[in-house]
């Protein structure tokens, strides 16, 4: 049954300072000293306060981080994976008692960092491995948020975080589609997120292929008059082996996806 929630009172969640510090760490790891120095000059005294200051930075400070860092949508998306990785959210999952991806998306307001304390995640619908989420800004001061490119970077960061959540449970990354975006002049960003509890494509393909081969074998044996117990056992073996091989392929894909998520985090410091 579909589940819908409005923008009721929700937890404040982690502050946006973690976004800024992650960007600075990314610049340092990539050896981008020019961008780092430019950002330090732009932030001034705020730069030194990032390490141990308030969880929330003002909107203009965070906008300066986005504007001066030289982030691309691709690198912002990778940073989103890091911000929603096990090292960042493991304690939050335990503290909030979020045992499934559904519960994590339902409590997204208290789980993921946002641009401003007044920004809100609204759950439009949640059912069957699919959730529709609206990200609404607390206000619409364009001077604080910067040009459309900055909004595109913010959106890519959110897409990365939404994709990474199923990986916290050993699942394949979610497929995220942005149907509306602040970067295009919309009043908010709308995301359609879909994930699978376990990949089944290999299992289905293996079952169909083995059934076809077993049927063909039985037909050939019957046609030449050799349909006996051994032939039936061989056909049964074919029918059982196909799903087993397909399931093994599915499990390998799932393990590679989880490992790929970890490699993506390591690539940030490569």
């Amino acid at each position: 049954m579909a589940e819908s929630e409005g923008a009721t009172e929700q937890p404040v969640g982690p502050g946006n300072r973690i976004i800024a510090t992650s960007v600075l760490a990314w610049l340092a790891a990539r050896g981008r000293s020019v961008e780092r120095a430019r950002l330090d000059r732009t932030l001034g005294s705020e730069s030194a306060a990032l390490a141990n200051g308030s969880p929330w930075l003002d909107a203009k400070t965070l906008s300066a981080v986005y504007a001066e860092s030289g982030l691309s949508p691709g690198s912002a998306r990778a940073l989103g994976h890091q911000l929603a990785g096990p090292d960042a959210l493991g304690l939050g999952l335990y503290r909030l008692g979020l045992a499934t991806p559904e519960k994590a998306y339902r409590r997204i307001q208290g789980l993921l960092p946002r641009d401003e304390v007044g920004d809100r995640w609204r759950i439009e619908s949640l059912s069957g491995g699919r959730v529709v989420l609206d990200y609404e800004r607390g206000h619409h001061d364009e001077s604080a948020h910067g040009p459309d490119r900055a909004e595109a970077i913010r959106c890519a960061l959110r897409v990365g975080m939404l994709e990474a959540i199923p990986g916290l449970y050993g699942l394949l990354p979610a497929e995220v589609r942005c149907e509306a975006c602040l970067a295009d002049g919309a009043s908010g960003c709308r995301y359609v997120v879909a994930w699978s509890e376990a990949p089944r494509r290999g299992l289905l393909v293996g079952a169909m292929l083995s059934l076809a081969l077993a049927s063909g074998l039985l037909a050939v044996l019957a046609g030449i008059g050799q349909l006996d117990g051994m032939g039936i056992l061989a056909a049964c073996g074919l029918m059982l082996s196909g799903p087993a091989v397909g399931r093994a392929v599915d499990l390998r894909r799932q393990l590679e996806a989880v490992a790929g998520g970890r490699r993506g985090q390591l690539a940030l410091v490569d």
Side-chain angles (χ1 to χ4, degrees), residues 172 249-263:
L172 293 171
V249 171
D250 287 335
L251 289 174
R252 180 178 177 180
R253 287 183 60 234
Q254 186 170 350
L255 290 173
E256 286 179 344
V258 175
R262 299 297 275 172
R263 286 195 299 269

Side-chain angles (χ1 to χ4, degrees), residues 32-186:
R32 301 180 65 161
S33 57
V34 175
E35 290 88 347
R36 177 63 188 262
R38 185 172 63 229
L39 185 55
D40 285 340
R41 287 194 300 270
T42 301
L43 295 178
S45 61
E46 288 284 345
S47 179
L50 286 179
N52 52 13
S54 167
W56 290 96
L57 306 174
D58 64 80
K60 290 186 178 180
T61 298
L62 187 60
S63 291
V65 171
Y66 286 125
E68 302 295 342
S69 63
L71 278 174
S72 67
S75 54
R77 183 176 168 188
L79 276 174
H81 288 183
Q82 183 186 43
L83 288 169
D87 295 337
L89 297 186
L91 183 60
L93 294 178
Y94 177 78
R95 179 173 53 84
L96 296 173
L98 307 180
T100 65
E102 289 86 353
K103 291 182 178 180
Y105 285 114
R106 187 179 296 120
R107 298 292 297 277
I108 194 170
Q109 182 77 10
L111 188 65
L112 297 183
R114 306 184 307 284
D115 290 322
E116 294 185 53
V117 67
D119 292 357
R120 287 289 180 268
W121 284 102
R122 177 191 291 272
I123 300 176
E124 186 66 27
S125 64
L126 173 60
S127 63
R130 183 178 183 272
V131 60
V132 179
L133 295 161
D134 290 328
Y135 185 86
E136 302 170 345
R137 270 205 321 234
H139 62 80
H140 296 276
D141 182 3
E142 297 299 331
S143 64
H145 287 272
D148 288 348
R149 183 183 179 280
E151 291 293 0
I153 298 299
R154 296 169 190 267
C155 182
L157 190 76
R158 289 191 288 269
V159 167
M161 290 189 287
L162 294 174
E163 286 177 335
I165 285 178
L168 297 168
Y169 302 91
L171 303 177
L172 293 171
E175 296 180 2
V176 180
R177 185 174 76 255
C178 185
E179 291 191 336
C181 190
L182 286 159
D184 299 326

